[in-house]
Amino acid sequence: MSIEEAIQERILILDGAMGTMIQSYQLEEQDFRGEIFKDIDFQMKGNNDILSLTRPDVIEDIHRRYLEAGADIITTNTFSSQRISMADYHCEDYCDEINRAAARTALGVARQYSAKTPAKPRFVVASIGPTNKTASISPDVNNPALRDVTYDQLAQAYYDQMRILVEEGVDGLLIETIFDTLNAKAAIWAAEEVMATLGKKVPIMLSATVSDKAGRTLSGQRLDAFIASVSHANIFSIGLNCSFGPEEIKPFLEELSHKAPYYISVHPNAGLPNAMGKYDVTPEQMKKQMETFVNEGLVNIIGGCCGTTDAFIAQYQSIVTNADGTAKPTHHPVARSPYLQLSGLELLEASPEVKFINVGERCNVAGSRKFLRLISNHQYDEALDIARKQVDDGALVLDLNMDDGLLDTQKEMTTFVNLIASDPDISRVPLMIDSSRFEVIEESLKCIQGKSIVNSISLKEGESKFIEHAKRVHELGAAMIVMAFDENGQACTYEQKISVCKRAYDLLTQKAHIPPTDIIFDPNVLSIATGMPEHDRYALDFINATAWIRKNLPGSHVSGGVSNLSFAFRGNNYLREAMHAVFLYHAINAGMDMGIVNPATRIMYSDIPEYLRNLLEDVILYRDSE
């Protein structure tokens, strides 16, 4: 029986804390150091993971005690067994040995117990900690763009660790105590890459930790935003651990249970630590509080974190079974949202209640001379003021573009993205990474913990490159704008627009396996009333193509750069804004649900004088050739 099969039958019991148990053995420096680390001139005590090499008997005994207490799942002693964390003890070159030894110890004990009770198989999941660094927060208050670790460094460290653990045969990968979603996204990538490399699938299990009573992670995300940020991955379970005791963690667990389309896990601390750093909740008290999770149908996996021991886990068997010994009902995962979900620190869902998502256009060096000047002069505080004002004015997403021949585009983009992450007033909204250079898009996504939008990919370089780019954007956790552009150039007519978009949709959904809700088409808003007759139908063709896309390419969305429409009237700002208002009125009614606009504009369709509105509709809807 696999863990995937077992979880459908019963609530599974996870083990408790490894560190708390280790402390009870009162080990000394020599126990940690052993012969292997005798020449390293650094204190080894406290580096619990190396005990898998120097005192495997202790680690084996801890696993055995948890299994005797009734645990279905034990976790490997590998919480910090990657190069980034092990570097603190100068043990980074021993990671392969530590992970291999830890996996073999846990698997050996679990197999013994599975052989004793075939009806109750025991599973081993690899404990993957968050590392001791964060990719979303600066270590220097005076330099908010600075990072202690990069996505690539995290991804490589996690890959090296997980490769050994999956090779050894663990039953799952538990990425736990997640305090920074960007760290977790790097770990998820590594897990999927390891499985693809080895040709072996194991469940990916996530467990986040909230840092305050508002239910945010340390890096500032709300839980629903966290769910959206990892929705690109094939997740088995999602849950909470550490931070709080079961009583304090309950409201956040309820939120996960009601919103996450996965199995739900919880392994809280034994309450909040007291003034002495000890945990006051007793096994009996923990049992009562955890029982409410079971009885209310909130969970599929229960265990313990800091302060818990085998005495806590021994209490759980009686709360996951009825009096007659039958299993209590398990939590049934909710359905996945049928709508596009984006996130900054907060969730943005493109549900029917959100009629139109306005994307702030002013952080674009190609469209704003002021923004270009500020970025060129490295006046980042003033540039951030522009971003903040757009959010204050109502922008639900921020478009960022640094494409300029005189700028180091990649450096400026990643710097500005990191600076935005340091400002919660701005970073609460999702970002749109706008660049014609794919390497800029790729590196920018590695700096973002939320779920962003990429603007854009297209068929301009052919199907192979299009699919390659789409897959990469998806695995980095972003939705994508698809331009109506192919090998023959930009789609201008209605027929060209719908043909290119249909072809792209089929490739994305059938070959790249992109969820339709993550596909946003841009059928090209082109300039009208230029004096050239071939331009006269451009707005109407966009509106008609929008209606066709929303009807025939289910789940997808439509966006566009609205300011392009009125380029022929540059300098006449009132007329341009009036044109945009009329165009949006008709395009939104046709199904356009997103657009790059100036959120500060105050001209509404209903405010435009009738004579001007009729004139603009004649032009935009091609009602009059004059």
Side-chain angles (χ1 to χ4, degrees), residues 455-460 466 481-504 520-526 542 545 549 558-559:
N455 187 10
S456 60
I457 61 171
S458 76
L459 283 159
K460 181 166 55 176
F466 177 64
I481 288 179
V482 179
M483 295 294 295
F485 207 116
D486 65 8
E487 300 91 337
N488 298 315
Q490 189 174 51
C492 297
T493 67
Y494 167 77
E495 292 76 15
Q496 290 170 340
K497 292 176 193 293
I498 66 172
S499 174
V500 173
C501 291
K502 174 68 165 65
R503 179 184 169 205
I520 305 159
F521 287 105
D522 185 340
N524 303 324
V525 178
L526 302 173
F542 181 97
I549 290 168
V558 174
S559 179

Side-chain angles (χ1 to χ4, degrees), residues 436-454:
S436 60
R437 294 171 52 192
F438 191 75
E439 64 271 18
V440 173
I441 289 171
E442 195 170 15
E443 292 307 308
S444 300
L445 292 180
K446 293 176 183 178
C447 299
I448 301 170
Q449 67 170 324
K451 181 174 180 180
S452 307
I453 303 172
V454 161

Side-chain angles (χ1 to χ4, degrees), residues 226-289:
F226 168 70
I227 295 168
S229 297
V230 300
S231 62
H232 62 285
N234 183 21
I235 304 299
F236 175 70
S237 68
I238 197 165
L240 296 169
N241 75 290
C242 207
S243 61
F244 298 126
E247 188 172 353
E248 297 85 5
I249 215 169
K250 186 182 181 187
F252 313 124
L253 181 65
E254 289 174 330
E255 181 179 0
L256 275 188
S257 296
H258 296 149
K259 294 180 178 179
Y262 314 108
Y263 295 114
I264 302 296
S265 69
V266 63
H267 51 296
N269 291 347
L272 295 168
N274 59 30
M276 303 299 294
K278 303 294 183 181
Y279 296 89
D280 296 327
V281 171
T282 66
E284 293 72 24
Q285 291 170 329
M286 187 87 149
K287 173 187 174 181
K288 288 182 180 179
Q289 293 167 347

Side-chain angles (χ1 to χ4, degrees), residues 178-449:
I178 297 167
F179 59 76
D180 181 349
T181 311
L182 188 53
N183 286 37
K185 287 168 76 173
I188 291 167
W189 176 87
E192 293 183 328
E193 191 71 7
V194 163
M195 288 188 273
T197 301
L198 298 179
K200 187 174 183 180
K201 287 273 188 183
V202 298
I204 298 175
M205 307 162 71
L206 305 181
S207 185
T209 181
V210 291
S211 62
D212 58 31
K213 294 295 180 72
R216 293 183 184 269
T217 62
L218 182 66
S219 56
Q221 270 202 319
R222 292 188 180 277
L223 287 177
D224 53 2
F226 168 70
I227 295 168
S229 297
V230 300
S231 62
H232 62 285
N234 183 21
I235 304 299
F236 175 70
S237 68
I238 197 165
L240 296 169
N241 75 290
C242 207
S243 61
F244 298 126
E247 188 172 353
E248 297 85 5
I249 215 169
K250 186 182 181 187
F252 313 124
L253 181 65
E254 289 174 330
E255 181 179 0
L256 275 188
S257 296
H258 296 149
K259 294 180 178 179
Y262 314 108
Y263 295 114
I264 302 296
S265 69
V266 63
H267 51 296
N269 291 347
L272 295 168
N274 59 30
M276 303 299 294
K278 303 294 183 181
Y279 296 89
D280 296 327
V281 171
T282 66
E284 293 72 24
Q285 291 170 329
M286 187 87 149
K287 173 187 174 181
K288 288 182 180 179
Q289 293 167 347
M290 297 290 281
E291 191 168 15
T292 63
F293 301 164
V294 172
N295 293 341
E296 293 178 21
L298 300 177
V299 292
N300 302 97
I301 303 169
I302 59 172
C305 200
C306 304
T308 63
T309 64
D310 54 330
F312 286 76
I313 302 307
Q315 298 286 331
Y316 289 174
Q317 190 61 47
S318 63
I319 67 175
V320 301
T321 53
N322 296 306
D324 61 0
T326 57
K328 286 188 177 180
T330 64
H331 166 77
H332 293 288
V334 299
R336 184 178 290 273
S337 173
Y339 309 115
L340 168 66
Q341 290 189 325
L342 305 168
S343 61
L345 298 183
E346 298 175 5
L347 175 70
L348 174 62
E349 184 173 72
S351 63
E353 291 74 29
V354 182
K355 184 74 172 173
F356 183 75
I357 295 175
N358 56 353
V359 181
E361 67 178 358
R362 307 308 298 168
C363 293
N364 185 328
V365 297
S368 169
R369 291 183 179 179
K370 178 179 180 181
F371 189 74
L372 172 61
R373 174 176 55 78
L374 293 174
I375 295 298
S376 299
N377 295 333
H378 297 164
Q379 294 173 269
Y380 297 122
D381 287 343
E382 292 89 337
L384 286 171
D385 287 340
I386 292 176
R388 190 179 301 106
K389 186 176 189 308
Q390 289 185 96
V391 175
D392 291 343
D393 286 338
L396 299 179
V397 176
L398 278 181
D399 179 73
L400 307 181
N401 186 306
M402 302 289 177
D403 284 359
D404 185 89
L406 298 179
L407 293 177
D408 183 339
T409 301
Q410 185 170 305
K411 180 181 178 182
E412 295 298 344
M413 182 73 93
T414 55
T415 297
F416 199 64
V417 167
N418 283 339
L419 288 169
I420 284 176
S422 69
D423 190 320
D425 291 333
I426 306 173
S427 59
R428 64 185 178 85
V429 305
L431 301 179
M432 179 181 284
I433 302 302
D434 187 349
S435 180
S436 60
R437 294 171 52 192
F438 191 75
E439 64 271 18
V440 173
I441 289 171
E442 195 170 15
E443 292 307 308
S444 300
L445 292 180
K446 293 176 183 178
C447 299
I448 301 170
Q449 67 170 324

